Amino acid sequence: MDENKRDKLLQTGYRIPRSCGHCVNGFFTKSSDFGFCSVHKYDHGKHGERQLSVHRFGGCDEFEPDEKKLALIHAFVEFMGP
């Protein structure tokens, strides 16, 4: 990454939030921002226990970074934040 670009990003407080889309527990198809979490389940009123459906940009306290997914954001991984 260009050093001037990096400096400007730092100056602006730029960050990429930790999200389900970057977590080892988030599973999504390429065509949808909705998927499911392999950690969290809930009791669906009609159908019993189910995996929790989540949005790619959401997140929770049990975030675990997925190195393969983070590799897709290249040098911007430095800006991963809370």
Side-chain angles (χ1 to χ4, degrees), residues 39-53:
V39 170
H40 298 289
K41 297 178 181 176
Y42 73 104
D43 185 23
H44 186 282
K46 279 168 89 172
H47 306 290
E49 187 173 81
R50 296 216 165 182
Q51 295 298 138
L52 186 63
S53 59

Side-chain angles (χ1 to χ4, degrees), residues 15-45:
R15 70 180 190 290
I16 299 172
R18 300 182 312 170
S19 68
C20 298
H22 297 122
C23 181
V24 296
N25 301 307
F27 292 88
F28 303 88
T29 64
K30 289 183 179 183
S31 61
S32 178
D33 286 332
F34 293 94
F36 72 91
C37 175
S38 66
V39 170
H40 298 289
K41 297 178 181 176
Y42 73 104
D43 185 23
H44 186 282

